[in-house]
Amino acid sequence: MNGVITSWDLSVGVDGPGTRFVLFTAGCPLRCQYCQNPETWRMRDGRQLTADEIMDEIGTYRRFISVAGGGVTISGGEPLLQPRFTAELLRRSHDSGLHTALDTSGLLGARATDAMLADTDLVLLDIKSFDPATYRRVTGGPVEPTLRFARRLAGLGRPTWVRFVLVPGLTDAVENVGALARFVASLGNVERVDVLPFHRMATGKYARLGLTFPLADVAPPDQALLDRVHRQFRVHGLATT
């Protein structure tokens, strides 16, 4: 089976537990204003590889990531744009005894079969905002498919980490954060919320691609704002990082 990817990398702690082999698939239906990986937007910019080739590459790191308590994370782009390819990699990694994680916006959650999710030990669910108007402003898309997928994951009891990018003046409204916190707390399967401070590190990447970074003039959140948002999640009994 073939898929289209942009790259792979090793990471620690942020893409699932332990040291992870992270595969970045090509193609994404959203255009988040703070996206750090614009090179993954279009499938035609990726390269085609077989599942066998990817599994061979994972195999070269298997001992290292196993000893480090890690596993394999399928990210992007949006992995659910290529559901069969993603499902194959998750199944084969899971069957080989590696911890598996799926990093997704949830927009295409309906494409994830129950069998795929059974092979997924952890879902990294990016909920960009709770308020529909804010979500569309951030991403260009609707929030309801993501919320529907979150409820489905809860019904299946799939362990989930929610990711929320905190952008001053864009996603930081008290009402937006509070509504998201209440929703996430109601699910019962969310192990933690990663509050990710916005940064401008991708500005140079956008320039190299001939693109304009939409938030080039926005400053990262200060400590007071970070503390407030963490409190808003924690007051509902949610662990945050």
Side-chain angles (χ1 to χ4, degrees), residues 65 81 85 96 154 176 208:
I65 60 179
L81 265 180
F85 180 64
S96 74
N176 182 46
R208 289 192 297 274

Side-chain angles (χ1 to χ4, degrees), residues 199-210:
H199 58 75
R200 297 178 292 203
M201 289 167 50
T203 304
K205 185 186 293 186
Y206 275 76
R208 289 192 297 274
L209 294 171

Side-chain angles (χ1 to χ4, degrees), residues 23-107:
L23 181 73
F24 296 93
T25 59
C28 185
L30 297 178
R31 292 293 180 268
C32 300
Q33 291 195 45
Y34 51 68
C35 180
Q36 299 298 297
N37 299 308
E39 73 280 6
T40 68
W41 286 349
R42 301 182 300 187
M43 289 186 69
R44 66 174 179 267
D45 292 335
R47 55 191 173 118
Q48 191 170 110
L49 292 176
T50 67
D52 286 342
E53 288 173 313
I54 297 297
M55 293 309 300
D56 286 346
E57 188 66 28
I58 292 171
T60 65
Y61 298 99
R62 180 185 173 85
R63 177 172 171 77
F64 176 65
I65 60 179
S66 295
V67 169
V72 174
T73 299
I74 312 299
S75 185
E78 174 50 66
L80 295 179
L81 265 180
Q82 304 178 64
R84 292 182 60 219
F85 180 64
T86 296
E88 175 77 3
L89 296 175
L90 289 169
R91 181 186 63 77
R92 291 175 64 171
S93 297
H94 190 264
D95 287 351
S96 74
L98 290 171
H99 182 277
T100 56
L102 173 66
D103 182 6
T104 177
S105 72
L107 177 68

Side-chain angles (χ1 to χ4, degrees), residues 125-147:
L125 184 61
D126 300 310
I127 305 183
K128 322 290 185 176
S129 280
F130 188 83
D131 173 68
T134 302
Y135 191 96
R136 188 170 289 279
R137 182 181 169 202
V138 171
T139 71
V143 69
E144 183 51 41
T146 294
L147 303 183

Side-chain angles (χ1 to χ4, degrees), residues 128-131 134 164 170-181:
K128 322 290 185 176
S129 280
F130 188 83
D131 173 68
T134 302
F164 172 70
L170 185 61
T171 67
D172 62 338
V174 171
E175 298 81 3
N176 182 46
V177 176
L180 178 58

Side-chain angles (χ1 to χ4, degrees), residues 110-131:
R111 298 188 180 186
T113 65
D114 286 355
M116 177 199 289
L117 295 175
D119 290 325
T120 304
D121 296 308
L122 175 68
V123 177
L124 307 174
L125 184 61
D126 300 310
I127 305 183
K128 322 290 185 176
S129 280
F130 188 83
D131 173 68

